[in-house]
Amino acid sequence: MRRSFASVLLALILAGGISAAAQTVAPVASGESIQNLDNVKAQLRAYHDCTRPTVCYQHDLDQQADRAIAFLHRRVAHPPAQEKLALILDIDETTLSNYEEMTTADFAYDSARFNAWVDSAQAPAIAGTLRLYKEAQSLGVSVFFITGRAESQRAVTEQNLRNAGFDNWQQLILRQPDEESATALDYKSAARGRVVAFGYKIILNVGDQWSDLRGKSLAEYSVKYPDPFYFLK
């Protein structure tokens, strides 16, 4: 009887050990440390919609616009006589917001879909940039828009800018057909060079991509807007 009980007990212990081993979770694969795409998209929406009080896209935009405005006031306080001062503004995600199109496309880029959105001329103004734009005008600083949009989109871009409250700019510079293969950095640098060639001193440059701000013909002061939605070289 004892021998029989011992055998049963041993069998139970062994069975328990096998079961515990079977339930052990193996180490995760290295790729598991990369965030899931759906979680990233949820974080983008939360950042834009300010569902987390300490992380807010609109707050960050306003903060950067305020820095740009403060610099303008300091710089224009005592300008040299006859100096022509220029403010450079990018358009997409700096002057106009394409968030509606991005969320409709689930943050995927499709050129046909995006161009249709541009042609609709519905993109709303980024409020901080509109404040900056009006301050520049009141201070006598000429505003140049430099955008990666194509020359063929000039009419709808001008319409959209006016619909959003921007008017009386100095010049709108768009990408020409022979510039299509240029990187954003090279194209923006060359466009700023043309502004300098017109006799202007670029005192401030505002954009959402580093390629808007770096390269040649740099501004005296540059302000980078947040843009977690896409990256351009």
Side-chain angles (χ1 to χ4, degrees):
M1 192 68 167
R2 278 186 203 162
R3 211 175 272 177
S4 175
F5 174 78
S7 299
V8 171
L9 182 60
L10 178 60
L12 288 173
I13 291 172
L14 290 174
I18 293 170
S19 176
Q23 292 174 10
T24 300
V25 179
V28 298
S30 59
E32 290 293 316
S33 62
I34 299 173
Q35 279 215 55
N36 181 276
L37 182 59
D38 286 340
N39 290 338
V40 172
K41 291 175 181 178
Q43 288 180 42
L44 290 176
R45 290 186 173 91
Y47 178 53
H48 182 275
D49 299 337
C50 298
T51 57
R52 295 170 60 190
T54 58
V55 183
C56 181
Y57 179 58
Q58 188 59 56
H59 170 269
D60 291 347
L61 286 174
D62 286 338
Q63 186 175 57
Q64 294 300 82
D66 288 342
R67 287 192 172 107
I69 291 170
F71 170 79
L72 268 189
H73 281 277
R74 292 195 304 271
R75 177 59 176 81
V76 182
H78 303 289
Q82 307 303 316
E83 189 174 50
K84 297 198 301 184
L85 305 181
L87 161 64
I88 303 292
L89 292 175
D90 171 57
I91 290 185
D92 296 303
E93 275 52 71
T94 299
T95 300
L96 301 175
S97 171
N98 300 303
Y99 186 73
E100 180 179 335
E101 187 278 332
M102 286 189 281
T103 53
T104 300
D106 198 27
F107 298 106
Y109 176 73
D110 178 87
S111 59
R113 182 194 291 267
F114 180 73
N115 287 331
W117 164 257
V118 170
D119 291 342
S120 73
Q122 297 181 65
I126 290 178
T129 306
L130 187 55
R131 289 191 289 108
L132 169 62
Y133 181 85
K134 291 180 177 179
E135 285 295 321
Q137 289 185 321
S138 70
L139 294 168
V141 177
S142 299
V143 179
F144 289 79
F145 290 109
I146 300 180
T147 175
R149 294 183 179 191
E151 175 62 35
S152 60
Q153 296 172 317
R154 177 176 294 277
V156 292
T157 300
E158 290 180 345
Q159 179 187 345
N160 200 158
L161 287 170
R162 293 192 176 97
N163 290 346
F166 300 89
D167 52 21
N168 299 322
W169 57 80
Q170 188 67 31
Q171 189 175 358
L172 169 61
I173 300 175
L174 300 102
R175 194 184 282 255
Q176 301 301 306
D178 62 351
E179 296 174 311
E180 289 180 1
S181 62
T183 65
L185 178 64
D186 290 343
Y187 160 68
K188 294 279 178 107
S189 293
R192 288 195 303 272
R194 295 199 292 273
V195 173
V196 172
F198 295 152
Y200 287 86
K201 179 180 286 294
I202 302 174
I203 60 171
L204 178 61
N205 185 11
V206 181
D208 64 291
Q209 302 287 323
W210 288 116
S211 54
D212 296 330
L213 310 174
R214 293 173 174 168
K216 300 176 182 178
S217 301
L218 297 176
E220 291 181 11
Y221 189 71
S222 296
V223 173
K224 168 76 167 59
Y225 276 9
D227 186 352
F229 309 113
Y230 57 85
F231 173 76
L232 297 175
K233 293 183 179 180

